[in-house]
Amino acid sequence: MTSTPKIVETEENIYECDVVIIASGMNRRKLPLPEEKTFAGLGVHYCELCDGHMYQDKIIAVMGGGNAAVDAANFLTKYTNKLYLIHRSEFRADEFSQKRLKENPKVEIMLQTEIKKLHGKGRLESIDILDKKTGETKNIAIDGIFVNIGVEPNTKLFAGQIDMSESGRIIAGEDCRTNVDGVFAAGDVREKEIRQLTTAAADGTTAALLAEKYLAKLKA
Ligand SMILES: Cc1cc2nc3c(=O)[nH]c(=O)nc-3n(C[C@H](O)[C@H](O)[C@H](O)COP(=O)(O)OP(=O)(O)OC[C@H]3O[C@@H](n4cnc5c(N)ncnc54)[C@H](O)[C@@H]3O)c2cc1C
């Protein structure tokens, strides 16, 4: 990656190029239950900004205990009647976000709990929750779960070649330039706060135009 030209190896070919734009995105960690596939999009969701509006006056559970989960839960309280925060251990989110959530009367926080099974005909209707302290399992009615148990940026390939943040995303500014000359990062793979289709598309435009400029300079 740091060489000139850069060598990009795919399953079929090896390319020599002067510029590389990395746009490999990220994967969200899925709810680790066999029924996940049955209810994906039918009660099991991964993006509160994208799907939260479907749960006006409904009952929601948010799974996770980090900042992303607690911020998602705070956001979703504007739609929901009742929100359960389900997390298998203790909170890792910052104090401010935790306080906001704890003070909201719509919210019930269930730490040391795990979702064990999903139920529903056609779409999600209820879940079984294990209380790890008592060993008891109970069933609660739920219209939707928002799973927020982490993401995996598709960057393993670039480890050691390019600067990355602690979360494994590529460090690049709004100009999408990385620490390596001629290498740009665009979309969810880049370390930034908002990850949406529009921000990914905007990054793509920026990276492409600045890549063109970089090439023109190389050839001058
Ligand atoms: C369930 C869900 C719902 C969403 N709904 C919305 C919504 O309603 N509105 C909204 O604005 N945003 C939504 N988002 C977020 C949005 O999808 C992302 O922000 C956006 O797709 C990011 O674009 P991207 O190009 O950076 O990455 P991606 O869209 O993830 O594309 C990355 C591509 O790179 C490929 N790739 C990975 N590794 C390699 C490799 N080594 N070599 C070659 N190719 C590779 C992947 O297969 C993939 O095709 C949603 C996300 C999820 C998960």
Side-chain angles (χ1 to χ4, degrees), residues 23-26 28 46-47 50 154 157 186-188 195-197 200:
S24 46
M26 65 179 190
R28 281 162 211 249
Y46 294 89
C47 177
C50 321
N154 296 319
L157 196 62
D188 282 6
R195 294 182 200 92
Q196 289 279 279
L197 290 168

Side-chain angles (χ1 to χ4, degrees), residues 20-37:
V20 174
I21 300 174
I22 301 171
S24 46
M26 65 179 190
N27 293 323
R28 281 162 211 249
R29 285 205 188 104
K30 295 262 164 66
L31 179 65
L33 291 175
E35 311 92 85
E36 193 274 347
K37 280 195 177 74

